[in-house]
């Protein structure tokens, strides 16, 4: 059974370098039209079902802005900017 | 209440310094956030720079080692130098040390040697490791010290704006080689191999998965391991060179990506290639046409931690023996009579034991006769043959001036020393010479007493020519020595190698008896 | 065999360099990184023989840059560490001495001064690095530097240097020279119980929650640490960060003027505020002195005899020896300057510490130097002549 992953994108962290979109073996992602607060175009999922959870996008991403979860463990969820949890210890 | 203080008059409030948190980075969202210092992010690296990816693969390797090899990440320490890569230490949640430019490796060496249980990683750039820090790099490889060096090579000094570096390909452009780099670059794995490293590999950040596997291997490797990570410098190097499509406006915003795509074309995986063949090939105008990647050497040599432990064992045995002789030293009552400042000059050539003779006198005077003594030496760079002199000042009172002012006795064992020193002997002083080696000239001073003994000859006859100085000491002690014989005997026994104590005592006695005979006749 | 038994104790006829090494070991130093250089090599030799006997590490690095950094690295593994060098190496160590100061890393650097400049006079004495000791690294900072007159004092001051470096979490210099370093005299070493050894305030695994730990806690008296904040070692789970960059209490880089002001004031005040404790002087006959000889190290020792001669001739000469060179005893000189006729400052250089004496005398009393570059200890007659000149007799 080909593993299936859910791609999670943290848009505010993305700097629009394009690594994830370019090197995703399945073409799950495209550069989005909208921009984050810094004016970068984060990736966008165009075909969520074909993600094989290879994790290359997460490994290549220089800004810890994308990761993949094994599909049966989590539903697709959009990370809203306002779900903020400050780091303060 | 913060403390007031005045620094050159100006009142200053020394408040604690807790910066307001400017970070808009919300942490805890990404599985790797636990390994990051959220309060310090986003990091400074440019869009498309490979450093973020290098750090990601490193964290991924650490998390794998923690999960699968039960690594305690509290025991991992990361040391980095100065430059874009130097900032890695500041972003990763480990004991991290951001040292000076080029000096991460020696710092890491000290860290590791002082606490071997640490897994010490040096994470720095091409300029830091192979430029200013090159000497430390090859020596660490030579030592095969158990640290892991990760060198992110983006072919230039990125942080300072893209100057040429030790790895910039021949013909490539950089801010300071805008007509093409006329120099030739290092092949870093080959340099590490030549140094003696026992593990070396190279990957571009494009091969992130393979890089992560290699980092696991490198971290677990015992001995010096070196991993070169080729990463795009999207702002400087990629602007000056065709890999980043140069100034092509469309690609302006994603030069890093263009370089990554270029790596896809030119990367060639060739495990176990000999490092000298693991080259980065360039064409006529410095465009990279091939990058050999892979794990080139992985043959663990024993690092020297075991050797250190073994050495400590034999060192302690030696100490126990030495301490025993020290503890068994004879305690002599020492002298109670007042001894005014008395100066002795010893002279000869290197190898005659002039220094050790002075030491024997000084030790006898202080440790056994309980007087004060200062021994000073004067010698040239030559260990053998050159002029050698040692001076001993002996007194009951503190010795303020350690050099000779009016030497009252001299022990001279070479013609050169005679010529150099006899003129300083105070009138009425006593000159002791090895008359087998020193011939008195016609104008020899008549205002001093001179006693000769063929010390070297006597010592040879007794079976050890190196004991000639001991014969002189016996001779000196009998006639004019200010130090008692028992003290000299004890000091001599302490100072000579145990196997030669017997011949040295005999030599001392021979000199002493001759001295007594001469003194008897006076 | 436990480490205590590895300590050398009792009376020994010991070369100064060897005494420095034994003092370091008595003080708890268990790491030495060095590079051979006359006249300091004997310290390294002794350490290479003795450290393995007390579970310590000796490593000969590839150069002085590496030696200084290895010593700093070892300190951050919680081990008392040291390096030793002479002029040329001292110059190479400047940048990373600054790293040690900025990161507040305890370690000891012994400089056995030799004739300079450049390769100079490797086997002969000088005191020509005294200003480099104070101002050699770049930027504003304070430094602690001690200067011995004999192998016995070199032993004692090396221990004191370690204690000060541990207490104030800063590198400390022992500024000795080829004369004292290569001189052999009696050195009495007390058993460990009788020697005061200070260890850095340390935070070990589990002492406090890691995220509560501040590696550069500020120096409020109420923060419980009278001099410096406790120092965690690598591998204890505090995951701290240190950097040579201007930083905040967490050790994180902060690139602005305010942080630098806090940083630099912290580094300087931790020494300036404790000057009275750090500064050690040896004083004779200062109460009625008309001329005061101010000196340090070997030059102070060789001035004692001319001072005696001058006193025998009725000149009221006082003796002020700086055991601690830096921080400089500004107040003591200023007080004396108001009531004495003149200062005499003998030193084996062309006039370095004399500048500090002049600065602090602030014109209240003339200052006469007795100077010669490197190569030979000061000629007693020259010192005596200058004392008479200062007393207005010449």
């Amino acid at each position: 059974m080909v593993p299936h992953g859910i791609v999670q994108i943290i848009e505010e962290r993305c700097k629009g370098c394009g690594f994830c979109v370019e090197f995703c073996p399945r073409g799950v992602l495209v550069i989005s039209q909208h921009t984050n607060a810094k004016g970068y175009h984060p990736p966008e999922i165009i075909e969520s079902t074909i993600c094989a959870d290879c994790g290359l996008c997460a490994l290549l991403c220089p800004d810890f802005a994308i990761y993949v979860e094994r599909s049966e463990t989590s539903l697709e969820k959009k990370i809203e900017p306002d779900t903020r949890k400050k780091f303060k210890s | 209440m913060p403390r007031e203080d005045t620094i050159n008059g100006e009142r200053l409030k020394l408040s604690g310094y807790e910066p307001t948190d400017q970070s808009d980075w919300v942490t805890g969202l990404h599985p790797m956030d636990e390994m990051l210092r959220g309060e310090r992010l986003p990091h400074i690296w440019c869009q498309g720079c490979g450093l973020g990816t290098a750090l990601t693969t490193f964290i991924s390797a650490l998390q794998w080692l923690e999960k699968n090899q039960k690594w305690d990440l509290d025991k991992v320490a990361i040391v980095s130098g100065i430059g874009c890569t130097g900032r890695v230490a500041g972003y990763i949640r480990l004991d991290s040390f951001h040292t000076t430019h080029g000096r991460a490796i020696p710092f890491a060496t000290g860290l590791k040697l002082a606490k071997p249980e640490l897994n010490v990683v040096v994470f720095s750039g091409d300029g830091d490791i192979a430029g200013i820090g090159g000497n430390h790099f090859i020596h660490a490889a030579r030592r095969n010290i158990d640290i892991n060096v990760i060198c992110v090579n983006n072919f230039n000094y990125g942080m300072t704006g893209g100057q040429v570096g030790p790895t910039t390909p021949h013909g490539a452009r950089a801010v300071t080689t805008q007509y093409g780099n006329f120099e030739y670059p290092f092949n870093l794995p080959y340099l590490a191999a030549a140094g003696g490293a026992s593990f070396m590999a190279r990957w571009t950040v494009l091969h992130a998965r393979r890089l992560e596997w290699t980092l696991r291997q490198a971290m677990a490797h015992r001995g010096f391991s070196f991993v070169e990570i080729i990463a795009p410098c999207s702002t400087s190097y990629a602007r000056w060179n065709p890999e980043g499509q140069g100034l092509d406006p469309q690609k302006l915003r994603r030069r890093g990506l263009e370089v990554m795509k270029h790596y896809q074309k030119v990367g060639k995986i060739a495990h176990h290639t000999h490092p000298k063949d693991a080259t980065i090939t360039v064409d006529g105008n410095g465009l990279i046409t091939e990058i050999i990647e892979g794990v080139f050497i992985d043959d663990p040599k024993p690092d020297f931690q075991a050797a250190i432990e073994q050495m400590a064992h034999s060192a302690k045995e030696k100490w126990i023996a030495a301490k025993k002789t020290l503890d068994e030293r004879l305690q002599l009552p020492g002298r109670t009579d007042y001894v005014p400042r008395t100066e002795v000059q010893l002279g000869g050539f290197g190898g005659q034991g002039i220094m050790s003779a002075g030491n024997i006198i000084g030790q006898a005077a202080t440790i056994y006769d309980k007087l004060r003594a200062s021994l000073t030496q004067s010698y040239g760079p030559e260990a053998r043959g050159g002029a050698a002199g040692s001076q001993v000042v002996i007194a009951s009172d503190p010795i303020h001036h350690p050099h000779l002012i009016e030497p009252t006795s001299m022990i001279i064992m070479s013609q050169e020393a005679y010529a150099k020193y006899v003129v300083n002997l105070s009138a009425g002083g006593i000159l002791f010479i090895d008359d087998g080696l020193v011939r008195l000239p016609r104008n020899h001073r008549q205002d001093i007493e001179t006693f000769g003994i063929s010390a070297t000859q006597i010592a040879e006859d007794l079976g050890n020519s190196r004991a000639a100085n001991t014969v002189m000491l016996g001779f000196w002690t009998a006639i004019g020595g200010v130090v008692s014989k028992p003290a000299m005997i004890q000091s001599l026994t302490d100072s000579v190698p145990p196997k030669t104590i017997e011949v040295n005592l005999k030599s001392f006695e021979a000199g002493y008896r001759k001295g007594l005979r001469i003194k008897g006749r006076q | 065999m436990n480490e205590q038994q590895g300590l050398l104790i009792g009376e020994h006829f010991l070369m100064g360099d060897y005494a420095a090494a034994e003092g370091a070991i008595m003080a708890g130093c268990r790491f030495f990184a060095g590079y051979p250089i006359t006249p300091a090599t004997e310290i390294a030799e002794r350490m290479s023989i003795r450290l393995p006997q007390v579970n310590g590490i000796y490593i000969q690095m590839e150069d002085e840059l590496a030696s200084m950094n290895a010593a700093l690295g070892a300190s951050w593994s919680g081990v008392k560490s040291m390096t030793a060098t002479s002029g040329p190496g001292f110059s190479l160590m400047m940048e990373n001495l600054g790293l040690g100061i900025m990161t507040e890393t305890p370690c000891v650097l012994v400089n056995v001064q030799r004739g300079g400049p450049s390769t100079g006079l490797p086997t002969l004495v000088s005191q020509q690095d005294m200003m480099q000791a104070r101002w050699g690294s770049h930027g504003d900072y304070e430094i602690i530097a001690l200067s011995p007159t004999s192998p016995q004092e070199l032993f004692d001051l090396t221990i004191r240097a370690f204690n000060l470096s541990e207490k104030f979490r800063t590198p400390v210099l022992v500024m000795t020279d080829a004369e004292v370093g290569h001189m052999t005299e009696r050195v009495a070493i007390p058993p460990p119980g009788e020697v005061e050894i200070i260890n850095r305030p340390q935070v070990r695994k589990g002492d406090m929650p890691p995220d509560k730990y501040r590696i550069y806690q500020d120096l409020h008296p109420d923060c419980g640490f009278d001099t410096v904040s406790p120092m965690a070692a690598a591998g204890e789970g505090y995951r701290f960060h240190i950097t040579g960059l201007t930083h905040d209490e967490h050790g994180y880089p902060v690139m602005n003027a305010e942080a630098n002001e806090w940083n630099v004031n912290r580094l300087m005040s931790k020494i300036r505020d404790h000057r009275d404790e750090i500064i050690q002087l040896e004083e004779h006959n200062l109460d009625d002195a008309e001329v005061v000889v101010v000196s340090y190290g070997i030059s102070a020792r060789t001035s004692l005899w001319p001072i005696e001669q001058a006193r025998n001739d009725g000149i009221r000469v006082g003796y002020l020896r700086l055991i601690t060179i830096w921080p400089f005893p500004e107040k003591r000189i200023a007080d004396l300057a108001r009531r004495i006729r003149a200062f005499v400052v003998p030193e084996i250089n062309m006039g370095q510490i004399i500048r500090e004496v002049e600065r602090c005398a602030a014109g209240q009393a003339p200052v006469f130097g007795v100077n010669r570059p490197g190569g030979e200890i000061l000629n007693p007659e020259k010192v005596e002549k200058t004392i008479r000149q200062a007393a207005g007799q010449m």
Side-chain angles (χ1 to χ4, degrees), chain B residues 12 18 37 39 74-75 93 95-96 98 100 111 115 135-136 143 316 319 329 374-375 399 403, chain C residues 5 11 55 62-63 77 96 179 184-185 205 234-236 239-243 250 252 265 301:
Chain B
L12 197 78
E18 185 84 31
R37 297 187 192 278
E39 62 276 34
D74 281 349
K75 292 276 185 255
R93 185 171 295 291
D95 286 325
S96 52
H98 184 212
T100 44
L111 204 64
K115 199 167 188 176
N135 192 27
H136 309 311
R143 285 192 189 99
K316 284 177 190 142
W319 169 254
R329 275 189 314 191
S374 281
L375 165 73
I399 297 162
H403 284 185
Chain C
Q5 287 154 340
E11 275 186 19
N55 303 325
E62 51 273 17
D63 52 37
S77 272
N96 292 293
E179 200 59 42
T184 309
E185 286 187 329
K205 197 173 182 67
E236 300 295 321
R239 308 220 181 173
F240 56 85
H241 178 68
I242 65 165
T243 176
H250 301 271
Y252 294 155
N265 281 318
R301 174 171 170 173

Side-chain angles (χ1 to χ4, degrees), chain B residues 355 359 363 375-377 379, chain C residues 8 12-23 39-43 45-46 112 150-152 154-155 177-187 189:
Chain B
M355 305 298 163
N359 200 54
Q363 182 172 251
L375 165 73
T376 50
Q377 308 164 351
Y379 51 83
Chain C
L8 179 74
H12 302 276
F13 192 59
L14 216 53
M15 184 191 287
D17 279 358
Y18 294 157
E22 292 300 336
T41 315
E42 287 82 358
I43 299 180
E45 279 166 20
R46 186 81 175 193
V112 189
S150 66
Q152 176 70 57
L154 181 45
F155 173 85
D177 54 73
E179 200 59 42
V180 172
H182 275 176
M183 177 194 298
T184 309
E185 286 187 329
R186 176 178 165 279
V187 177
I189 303 177

Side-chain angles (χ1 to χ4, degrees), chain C residues 5 8 14 19 22 50-51 81 111 122 150 176 198 206 234 243 247 285-287 298 308 314 319 326 329 344 346 371:
Chain C
Q5 287 154 340
L8 179 74
L14 216 53
E22 292 300 336
R50 291 282 289 121
L51 276 176
S81 62
N111 178 8
S150 66
T176 183
I198 297 175
T243 176
H247 48 263
N285 310 315
L286 288 188
D287 306 337
I298 189 65
E308 265 170 39
Y319 174 76
W326 309 108
V344 172
N371 304 94

Side-chain angles (χ1 to χ4, degrees), chain C residues 97-109:
Chain C
L97 173 63
L99 177 66
I101 289 165
M102 185 59 150
T103 53
E104 302 189 48
T105 308
C107 82
V108 168
L109 195 168

Side-chain angles (χ1 to χ4, degrees), chain B residues 360-375:
Chain B
I360 290 167
I361 293 177
Q363 182 172 251
T366 51
I367 305 301
Y368 295 105
D369 271 354
K370 300 281 189 276
L371 299 169
R372 286 188 168 86
S374 281
L375 165 73

Side-chain angles (χ1 to χ4, degrees), chain A residues 13 15-16 54 60 62 66, chain B residues 25-26 33 43 45 47 53 209:
Chain A
R13 296 187 183 178
K15 287 184 185 155
C54 76
L60 281 175
I66 189 168
Chain B
W25 175 280
V26 173
D33 281 3
H43 55 62
W45 300 316
Q47 175 213 52
T53 307
R209 184 66 68 201

Side-chain angles (χ1 to χ4, degrees), chain C residues 122-371:
Chain C
T123 60
L124 294 175
V125 64
S126 101
Q127 295 175 307
Q128 295 168 317
D129 308 346
M130 298 314 292
M131 279 300 176
Q132 181 176 19
R134 174 67 185 83
W135 303 102
S137 202
H138 52 281
D140 278 320
Y141 59 92
E142 289 278 342
I143 189 88
I144 299 175
L146 315 176
S147 188
T149 59
S150 66
Q152 176 70 57
E153 196 176 29
L154 181 45
F155 173 85
D156 301 331
L157 290 188
T158 303
I159 294 177
R160 183 153 196 269
F162 271 98
N163 286 345
L164 289 171
S165 87
E166 292 287 307
K167 178 159 192 181
F168 294 100
R169 254 184 80 175
T170 178
V172 169
L173 308 178
V174 177
M175 298 298 289
T176 183
D177 54 73
E179 200 59 42
V180 172
H182 275 176
M183 177 194 298
T184 309
E185 286 187 329
R186 176 178 165 279
V187 177
I189 303 177
E194 288 162 25
V195 180
E196 190 209 7
I197 305 292
I198 297 175
N199 295 317
R200 66 194 69 172
Q202 203 156 32
V203 175
R204 285 194 179 72
K205 197 173 182 67
D207 285 359
M208 73 161 72
D211 47 25
K212 281 281 175 293
Y213 174 60
R214 296 287 179 279
I215 194 152
Y216 298 112
Q217 196 118 9
D218 198 61
L219 307 184
H220 292 232
D222 51 31
C223 73
F225 313 107
D226 55 359
T227 50
V228 292
S229 46
M231 183 173 170
E236 300 295 321
Y238 287 93
R239 308 220 181 173
F240 56 85
H241 178 68
I242 65 165
T243 176
L245 285 169
T246 300
H247 48 263
D248 61 19
E249 283 197 337
H250 301 271
Y252 294 155
V254 181
M255 295 293 100
N256 62 40
E258 194 203 356
N260 194 265
E261 189 163 358
W262 174 76
N263 234 168
V264 171
N265 281 318
R266 175 194 167 82
L267 294 174
M268 297 182 81
S269 60
K270 87 177 168 182
I271 290 176
R272 294 173 84 103
D273 293 355
H274 299 88
R275 274 174 299 214
D276 299 341
E277 178 190 348
I278 296 169
I279 292 175
Q280 255 186 352
L281 305 169
E282 182 187 349
E283 302 182 357
H284 300 311
N285 310 315
L286 288 188
D287 306 337
D288 73 337
E290 56 176 332
V291 171
V292 171
V293 174
V294 180
S295 190
Y296 53 95
I298 189 65
S299 296
R301 174 171 170 173
T302 52
S303 301
L304 287 170
W305 187 43
I307 288 172
E308 265 170 39
Q309 306 289 98
R311 282 199 78 86
N312 294 344
D313 287 359
I315 302 174
R316 299 197 314 281
V317 193
Y319 174 76
L320 174 62
R321 176 165 76 95
L322 315 177
I323 302 172
T324 308
I325 304 286
W326 309 108
F328 190 75
E330 292 153 340
K331 214 168 128 335
R332 193 77 186 94
I333 298 292
D335 297 346
L336 286 170
R338 275 189 287 281
R339 62 175 174 78
I340 64 165
R341 184 188 175 88
F343 287 105
V344 172
V345 182
E347 46 187 335
I348 306 173
N349 56 48
M350 299 307 282
Q352 294 189 19
I353 296 300
I354 191 169
R355 294 162 172 271
E356 289 293 291
V357 177
E358 282 165 343
R359 175 175 69 85
C360 299
Q364 302 285 321
V367 185
F368 295 80
V370 188
N371 304 94

